[in-house]
Amino acid sequence: QVQLVESGGGLVQTGGSLRLSCVVSGWTFSNYAMGWFRQAPGKEREFVAAIDWSGTETVYADSVKGRFTIFRDNAKNTVFLQMNSLKPEDTAVYYCATRPGPLAEDTAGRYDYWGQGTQVTVSS
């Protein structure tokens, strides 16, 4: 059974930083791509960042480019999202997801397994 568990969310002021983690079990983590998505209240889930199986290719939403960094540690079955220069509009529940393929994708429908989410709140 594939399980994804996110952690690292919290309350931070504008301009602050957070690092999210997602630990994956029941899956050959190093073979597959990972993604981060977010959903704000009253809005649809949106793509944030994705990384390929090896960690060499990354994709970002325009809204987070230059501020967020996705990276992975295949030895620890963990993917991270480093979030810097946070803005109030980054407030959302953040989800990690994995897909049965090696390439980074920005479409939620291409991901089969999802975590429960972790809340990020950025105060102004």
Side-chain angles (χ1 to χ4, degrees):
Q1 182 178 358
V2 182
Q3 290 189 319
L4 294 81
V5 179
E6 302 99 335
S7 62
L11 174 64
V12 64
Q13 291 185 334
T14 297
S17 297
L18 284 173
R19 177 177 291 186
L20 306 183
S21 301
C22 173
V23 179
V24 182
S25 60
W27 189 246
T28 309
F29 178 80
S30 59
N31 286 359
Y32 303 117
M34 296 293 301
W36 285 97
F37 293 77
R38 66 187 181 187
Q39 188 166 18
K43 295 187 177 181
E44 293 188 353
R45 189 170 298 189
E46 65 173 0
F47 170 74
V48 176
I51 189 167
D52 76 339
W53 69 278
S54 68
T56 57
E57 179 187 347
T58 56
V59 182
Y60 295 94
D62 288 344
S63 59
V64 307
K65 278 181 183 177
R67 299 188 299 121
F68 290 10
T69 302
I70 186 172
F71 58 102
R72 64 191 295 162
D73 184 341
N74 284 350
K76 296 183 178 180
N77 285 8
T78 303
V79 63
F80 303 91
L81 185 68
Q82 177 67 42
M83 305 186 296
N84 298 330
S85 302
L86 283 161
K87 305 175 182 180
E89 51 263 45
D90 294 318
T91 295
V93 177
Y94 283 71
Y95 300 89
C96 67
T98 187
R99 59 182 300 269
L103 302 180
E105 298 278 356
D106 62 2
T107 304
R110 294 186 179 270
Y111 290 80
D112 285 3
Y113 300 99
W114 294 78
Q116 297 285 349
T118 185
Q119 177 70 48
V120 171
T121 303
V122 185
S123 63
S124 56

